[in-house]
Amino acid sequence: MALSKEQIAQRIAKEVKDGYYVNLGIGIPTLVANFVQEDIDVDFQSENGVLGMGPFPFEGEEDPDLINAGKQTITTLPGASFFDSAMSFSMIRGQHVDLTILGAMEVSQNGDIANWKIPGKMVKGMGGAMDLVASAENIIVAMMHTNRAGESKLLKECSLPLTGVKCVKKIVSNLAVIEIVDNSFKLLERAPGVSIDEIREATEGNLIVDGDIPEMVF
Amino acid sequence: MINKTVSGVQEACKGIKDGMTFMLGGFGLSGIPENSIAELVRLNVKDVTCVSNNAGVDDFGLGQLLQKKQIKKMISSYVGENAEFERQMLSGELEVELIPQGTLAQRCQAAQSGIPAFYTPAGYGTEVAEGKESRDFHGKMHILEKAFEADFAFVKAWKGDAAGNLVFKGSARNFNPNMCGAAKITVAEVEELLPVGVLDPNHIHIPGIFVQRIFQGEKYEKRIEQLTVRKRS
């Protein structure tokens, strides 16, 4: 069965390693924080100027001066720090952040990503996504494999305006874990009960299937 | 000590004219210069260009200026929460330049620092790069971005003193420090204006040299955009 949004986040959480500084995008990526192993040390960076983000506050303890990049009220953990936006992006562009997890509308087989604009329909802006994808060494995309009409979002070429070029290394979708290599989507893992054929059907770009493809384990 | 104190928001906004370019601090509704925005609404200044990460919500923050059609152009990175903004943009009434958030911050920082332009990898290969110079550094492509040129910067701090020194709180800091000294005149509004000598020089985030006018805001609503809480177990 295809993964739920929580399961996508749960699978991505396995990529978060001890000692990582991690930036989480809005949507599914935000959920990743809930599934990170408790025995490792990880710091979450929020590009509006927080390092060491904690969980949501208890009711009545929310502070309008303490939000994340999704404008949600948050808390900080011991050792946290605040800083201005220019310094925040020094952390990002300067590659001090180890892992970036963000959502996408489309990804192409060469690693291009589109996630900020649908011409004529939706223009919310790129926020920090362009800075993040242009500089991060390690980018994981959390996304649905197909759109509501069932059309593939893993394409030969993106059709929407790009956020960044040749930058995505790994995708965790509701159907599969995929690595981008040799201008192709290389299938690494399948969602439990999802066949290779189903994944192939849902992938417009070039899909590499090499040997046995294990199912994800939760 | 050079005294930067003005009597209030009206004196702080002296010299504001139609067609000017303003920088406004804040991320979402957190750390926005509420009192200065209210005064801009009252002055009904028209055809202004606003540099601000976001555009407020329909009835608060910069949304109030949008409702009155005072804004000619917005330069922002994310404008998702404002229906009136989206309507004006899609109908062509409002000119919008969307730019990467780090580029926005750095264009403020560059203006503050006297750096006319800088190279960044953000936006290379996208429509953001159209018409801009690009150049390879260490095998990676970058685009040339320019410092902003603005008439007024409106920032909001937690505490300040008569010398214009500022201290920010939490994530309400965001773009505010980067906009200080990045325009011809920087207006700082604070929740608490203290006599000089009270703030520890070790703890000052922005030295008063970057601020021309400072006043204590009359009141702060500090609206929360996305209230998210957890239950006590």
Side-chain angles (χ1 to χ4, degrees), chain B residues 117-128:
Chain B
F118 58 91
Y119 280 98
T120 175
Y124 177 75
T126 76
E127 60 183 55
V128 165

Side-chain angles (χ1 to χ4, degrees), chain A residues 9-195:
Chain A
Q10 200 177 346
R11 175 59 191 81
I12 291 175
K14 290 186 183 179
E15 309 284 326
V16 179
K17 303 286 192 285
D18 189 36
Y20 269 14
Y21 292 104
V22 182
N23 180 290
L24 301 177
I26 297 167
I28 302 173
T30 306
L31 302 173
V32 172
N34 301 335
F35 298 105
V36 172
Q37 283 171 254
E38 286 190 4
D39 59 342
I40 63 172
D41 290 323
V42 174
D43 265 358
F44 290 103
Q45 196 253 17
S46 189
E47 63 265 27
N48 59 321
V50 187
L51 189 62
M53 254 195 298
F56 295 138
F58 288 119
E59 239 169 318
E61 288 180 4
E62 63 274 8
D63 177 357
D65 294 326
L66 185 46
I67 60 169
N68 65 16
K71 289 137 192 163
Q72 297 170 310
T73 45
I74 54 161
T75 59
T76 51
L77 297 173
S81 54
F82 300 122
F83 36 85
D84 64 65
S85 299
M87 187 178 281
S88 179
F89 283 90
S90 296
M91 295 177 190
I92 290 165
R93 271 191 250 93
Q95 300 185 336
H96 307 286
V97 173
D98 300 288
L99 175 63
T100 292
I101 302 166
L102 76 176
M105 297 172 185
E106 295 177 347
V107 174
S108 71
Q109 64 193 25
N110 68 347
D112 292 353
I113 176 171
N115 71 355
W116 72 284
K117 183 177 182 181
I118 303 172
K121 268 194 195 163
M122 189 286 291
V123 188
K124 290 190 187 298
M126 63 291 278
M130 282 196 185
D131 309 272
L132 282 158
V133 301
S135 295
E137 291 273 329
N138 197 358
I139 300 172
I140 300 177
V141 169
M143 68 191 294
M144 292 294 150
H145 215 98
T146 54
N147 64 20
R148 288 199 185 96
E151 294 159 344
S152 181
K153 294 164 72 169
L154 280 68
L155 307 169
K156 287 190 186 347
E157 270 182 55
C158 292
S159 65
L160 295 169
L162 295 180
T163 307
V165 293
K166 295 181 189 164
C167 52
V168 177
K169 305 280 189 307
K170 201 173 236 184
I171 299 166
V172 178
S173 78
N174 54 330
L175 301 183
V177 178
I178 279 169
E179 195 179 22
I180 295 190
V181 280
D182 302 331
N183 207 28
S184 299
F185 296 112
K186 186 176 182 197
L187 185 58
L188 298 182
E189 295 172 28
R190 297 175 287 129
V194 172
S195 71

